[in-house]
Amino acid sequence: MTNHSDTTGPSENSDITAGTGDISLGDPAFGDHQVTLRTPAELADALPYLLGYRPEDSIVLVALTEKDGRGRFGGRARLGIPAHPDDWPSAARQLVHGLVTGSERRGARPGQMVAYLCQEPAAGESGRQVMERLRPLAHKVRLECGALDVPVVEALCISDGRFWSYCCDSEVCCPAEGVPMGLPGTSVVAAAATYAGIQVRGTLRELRARLLPRENSAALEQEVALDTASMALVSRILDDASRADVAEETLRLAERIMRRFAEAPPATGTVTADLRDDELLGPDEAATLILGLQDRTTRDRAAEWMEGDEAGPALRLWRALARRCAGPYGEHAAAPLTLAGWVAWSTGDELEAREAFAMALGADPEYLFARLLHQACNQGLDPESVRRCLRAERSERTAGGQREPSGTACRTNTGPDTEQPTESEAPAETGPAPEPTTRRRPRVRTTSPTRNRQRTTHGTRPRSTRPRPSGNNSTPRRDTRSGGLRQGSGATEGEE
């Protein structure tokens, strides 16, 4: 597929593909500043700028389309490398099919692919050993692309500061010991990215750390606060007579915390900023907000803090609340994670939005609000359509208009009517969005807070106090399909 071995000069001066010429970094983020990549080294260096972060333990596919005789970068997709080789064929199939069908939907079917396998060595392992161990996975990816008539023109393994090509056996340009990666920020791609104002935001691990529950001495205190708040609030949320009062109390408290965040002195660095926010949010306050946001109506009203001066403090609050959903309250993180993803998407940060939506689906895979927003974000839709809907609801409510709360129509019309990929590490088929339904009175299965704090291992989920419908078939159950009070698990990352 490539012509590495056909060149007689140094690899820096050779084109990377036979018959395809140069590859142009035609990404809109680079504006009018076009970058031409001619070597595997330049392709390897371009990866973090294409994604906006440095991938770890990842399979990355980048689609190429042809324009004016040049290959141009198109859609990208990433999937975590499965730990067990038996899962590699299905992972390769899922990733390849997701990217190809997603590109076709946007009217630009890929003509070729560039594949990357990124993984750091385990203890006692070398980068070359990583490359050899992952070779069957690279082969599976190339076979899946070939089955769809989309050849892989280059497949690179990046590990331990070096890269290897799976498409070239020439010792001249692709030696067995690999080729050292260039110093970060010194390549032509880095210069173009700096010119265009593009920043590489570290790794996904660092981004996710801002949204993961804290595992520290304060976690137990937060669980106790959540147990206490659960006993006080769940029955009130499920009681039609007191539900609106709980919503108002939750939103007023959230506004107070947002003002507190906005008035705090600025902090340098994300870690310092997050620690400052954690100190500004008490465990009882966090517990009240986490439980209150399990109500769909309250969550939808909180989603209105999506722009202007409200967006920054709101995003900080949703991150801080997600970090408090420790232990048996992991499912409760779906609401603040989805809100964090929504505000990030609304303010133009699609990278954090996708990760937050994926993590929300990991906490509750049936959380439809996260699924629909994730689907829309992955498909490149404009968040303004959702913003307009939320603005209209807010304006109508403040003007004293009478209507059924919760914004179900806004939520169910977020994405197209057809089945589309929704997961963020790899697109997966899902059913069409449900039709708007009439809200019904939810039921709750009560559990003991003491039992809730008992931890389990090996993937067994502890019992949760999160409100959920009763199993009694004779009692009307609240419809939970727009991401309200319910449960679930698992999620992944996807097409960009």
Side-chain angles (χ1 to χ4, degrees), residues 8-186:
T8 56
S11 62
E12 292 79 22
N13 298 321
S14 64
D15 291 343
I16 64 166
T17 60
T20 61
D22 302 334
I23 292 181
S24 297
L25 228 175
D27 194 294
F30 283 78
D32 296 329
H33 196 85
Q34 181 170 293
V35 182
T36 300
L37 308 179
R38 295 183 173 88
T39 69
E42 290 174 342
L43 276 179
D45 185 76
L47 180 58
Y49 300 99
L50 291 172
L51 298 179
Y53 59 91
R54 301 186 185 279
E56 300 174 307
D57 294 326
S58 300
I59 320 168
V60 179
L61 278 183
V62 181
L64 298 179
T65 58
E66 187 173 344
K67 183 178 181 181
D68 301 327
R70 293 173 178 262
R72 297 176 63 87
F73 285 130
R76 282 86 81 185
R78 188 199 75 87
L79 181 67
I81 296 177
H84 202 289
D86 288 347
D87 297 324
W88 290 356
S90 60
R93 186 176 310 110
Q94 185 181 20
L95 188 66
V96 172
H97 283 249
L99 180 55
V100 171
T101 56
S103 299
E104 287 175 336
R105 244 187 349 261
R106 291 189 295 270
R109 190 178 196 275
Q112 298 170 323
M113 290 282 192
V114 176
Y116 299 85
L117 300 183
C118 308
Q119 190 173 77
E120 289 305 299
E125 190 178 30
S126 67
R128 182 177 179 181
Q129 288 172 323
V130 172
M131 181 271 294
E132 293 294 348
R133 175 167 52 80
L134 296 180
R135 186 182 292 275
L137 175 57
H139 184 62
K140 296 291 184 185
V141 171
R142 296 172 70 182
L143 287 178
E144 290 294 337
C145 289
L148 295 181
D149 199 24
V150 183
V152 174
V153 296
E154 185 58 277
L156 300 176
C157 176
I158 300 175
S159 180
D160 198 23
R162 292 177 173 267
F163 72 85
W164 290 261
S165 172
Y166 290 113
C167 297
C168 177
D169 296 326
S170 172
E171 283 289 328
V172 177
C173 58
C174 300
E177 65 273 15
V179 180
M181 298 284 292
L183 291 175
T186 60

Side-chain angles (χ1 to χ4, degrees), residues 159-331:
S159 180
D160 198 23
R162 292 177 173 267
F163 72 85
W164 290 261
S165 172
Y166 290 113
C167 297
C168 177
D169 296 326
S170 172
E171 283 289 328
V172 177
C173 58
C174 300
E177 65 273 15
V179 180
M181 298 284 292
L183 291 175
T186 60
S187 67
V188 63
V189 177
T194 301
Y195 180 82
I198 298 172
Q199 295 182 344
V200 176
R201 298 170 53 185
T203 66
L204 284 182
R205 185 178 303 167
E206 294 167 343
L207 178 60
R208 288 169 176 157
R210 308 192 73 184
L211 302 169
L212 287 171
R214 297 292 193 218
E215 296 294 339
N216 53 26
S217 58
L220 181 58
E221 181 184 7
Q222 186 61 64
E223 285 188 39
V224 172
L226 283 162
D227 286 343
T228 304
S230 180
M231 289 187 290
L233 290 178
V234 169
S235 59
R236 295 183 63 203
I237 293 174
L238 299 182
D239 186 346
D240 288 339
S242 58
R243 185 177 182 183
D245 292 337
V246 176
E248 292 300 327
E249 294 165 9
T250 301
L251 295 168
R252 282 198 299 268
L253 175 59
E255 288 176 325
R256 288 200 300 272
I257 303 300
M258 288 167 57
R259 285 195 297 270
R260 192 184 302 168
F261 281 3
E263 294 167 359
T268 303
T270 58
V271 174
T272 304
D274 290 345
L275 289 174
R276 174 207 54 198
D277 290 347
D278 289 341
E279 292 174 356
L280 292 173
L281 179 63
D284 293 338
E285 294 172 324
T288 298
L289 292 175
I290 290 169
L291 268 296
L293 289 173
Q294 303 310 306
D295 176 65
R296 184 177 64 189
T297 303
T298 308
R299 178 210 64 198
D300 289 353
R301 287 182 58 183
E304 296 169 2
W305 300 323
M306 61 194 169
E307 55 192 345
D309 294 339
E310 295 175 329
L315 179 55
R316 289 164 58 187
L317 177 57
W318 307 144
R319 288 183 189 136
L321 293 179
R323 293 194 294 267
R324 300 296 184 95
C325 296
Y329 290 91
E331 290 178 358

Side-chain angles (χ1 to χ4, degrees), residues 433-491:
E435 295 297 323
T437 57
T438 302
R439 180 173 56 82
R440 297 173 182 165
R441 183 176 183 271
R443 305 284 293 181
V444 63
R445 181 187 305 142
T446 59
T447 58
S448 165
T450 302
R451 288 198 304 268
N452 288 334
R453 289 210 305 270
Q454 294 175 350
R455 297 178 181 272
T456 58
T457 58
H458 305 295
T460 303
R461 295 153 65 88
R463 189 173 296 182
S464 172
T465 58
R466 190 175 180 189
R468 44 175 70 97
S470 166
N472 186 348
N473 294 331
S474 63
T475 305
R477 302 201 308 176
R478 175 182 172 185
D479 186 278
T480 59
R481 288 179 293 174
S482 64
L485 307 172
R486 61 164 304 110
Q487 60 177 340
S489 67

